[in-house]
Amino acid sequence: MEPVRDRYAADRNAKLKVCVIGASGKLGRYMVQHALERGYEVVGVCRAASVAKLGALRDHITVVTGATNDEAVIARAVDGCDGVLTVLVPRGVNHYAAGTAQAVLDHTRGGARLVFSCGWHISRDGLDVYPWKLRAIVKIASPLAKLARFADLDDQVDACQRVFASNTRWTVVRGSDLTEGPSQGLPVWSRHVGDPKLSSNQTRRVDFALFMVAALTDDTLIREAPAIVGRRAPSALAHAEITRELQ
């Protein structure tokens, strides 16, 4: 697959109203920044205790406070939105991610673009081939996190299955290991983990957010679950070089 196209570049007068659910988190703040840079009207959802994390961003957006799995909170936040960017966080053991996804699916207007974030461990069709390290982490860490009532990866699986089964205009972006640093541009993507171009398993967090925002205006990603890797990750560069040689 080619890197996702940011169609906003061809339509700079577009004025979308976008909701970022999980706006105060690291990924959420980057998404807010990217959306504001495109001139979008932004509504951010986060817990009241986390509003301060938004810093100066809160002066440029509408903030709705509350739990992201609260249907009343989500209904108010997504009202009139053209797109919704949702960070699916499997917090605790009370189906937090699934509740968040269902609230978004139930309350966003028909025709809106819904873009969700999750990890590589999510598989839409069972055809992904995972590296041993990721398999080990999921096998060992997942039960421990659930036992400690800290997180439940099965909750994120449930959330994504609800999205996959819906007839909305969704995209589920599956991120590799995230690192900090300056942007390298839009990540490279594939339908399946196991594609050699993804093997570096590294994406800048700022670019994960960039992909999420770009997906709002890329109809080729509707009902796709792209697994991404950094555009300048060694595996992505090697794939690009092979492609050039074959042309």
Side-chain angles (χ1 to χ4, degrees):
M1 296 293 168
E2 293 300 317
V4 61
R5 297 190 299 277
D6 182 357
R7 294 185 179 179
Y8 177 79
D11 188 16
R12 294 195 178 276
N13 292 321
K15 180 69 172 181
L16 300 182
K17 182 178 181 182
V18 176
C19 182
V20 179
I21 298 176
S24 64
K26 292 180 180 179
L27 181 61
R29 294 197 300 272
Y30 280 131
M31 289 193 291
V32 169
Q33 286 180 313
H34 289 312
L36 289 173
E37 287 169 0
R38 285 160 172 73
Y40 297 164
E41 178 184 352
V42 179
V43 179
V45 181
C46 65
R47 292 174 296 169
S50 300
V51 172
K53 295 180 181 179
L54 289 166
L57 291 173
R58 62 184 170 182
D59 297 328
H60 303 282
I61 68 175
T62 299
V63 179
V64 176
T65 58
T68 65
N69 64 342
D70 185 319
E71 290 203 16
V73 170
I74 297 302
R76 185 164 74 254
V78 302
D79 184 38
C81 286
D82 304 293
V84 181
L85 301 164
T86 304
V87 181
L88 289 174
V89 180
R91 181 184 295 117
V93 291
N94 295 313
H95 311 290
Y96 195 85
T100 298
Q102 194 62 58
V104 171
L105 295 171
D106 288 344
H107 296 288
T108 307
R109 70 170 181 81
R113 283 290 279 119
L114 309 181
V115 185
F116 300 85
S117 73
C118 66
W120 264 7
H121 65 286
I122 299 297
S123 182
R124 182 184 180 188
D125 55 16
L127 298 180
D128 298 275
V129 179
Y130 295 105
W132 69 267
K133 184 178 180 181
L134 180 59
R135 295 199 306 271
I137 289 173
V138 172
K139 184 175 181 179
I140 297 171
S142 179
L144 291 176
K146 189 172 183 179
L147 183 64
R149 305 184 69 81
F150 173 72
D152 182 3
L153 292 184
D154 289 338
D155 177 28
Q156 200 175 72
V157 173
D158 180 17
C160 291
Q161 290 301 322
R162 296 181 189 214
V163 175
F164 295 153
S166 76
N167 61 1
T168 60
R169 300 173 74 238
W170 57 264
T171 302
V172 174
V173 184
R174 300 182 292 154
S176 57
D177 288 350
L178 300 181
T179 62
E180 296 296 344
S183 175
Q184 298 178 336
L186 284 167
V188 173
W189 71 280
S190 176
R191 284 195 174 98
H192 296 107
V193 178
D195 187 322
K197 77 175 74 168
L198 303 179
S199 62
S200 293
N201 189 21
Q202 292 278 318
T203 307
R204 297 281 171 89
R205 186 175 275 103
V206 64
D207 294 331
F208 189 168
L210 183 64
F211 194 101
M212 294 277 290
V213 174
L216 290 169
T217 51
D218 192 332
D219 289 350
T220 66
L221 288 174
I222 292 175
R223 298 195 177 97
E224 291 278 7
I228 64 173
V229 75
R231 187 181 186 88
R232 299 198 61 78
S235 59
L237 292 174
H239 171 77
E241 181 60 30
I242 292 172
T243 300
R244 282 194 295 269
E245 292 176 354
L246 293 176
Q247 288 177 346

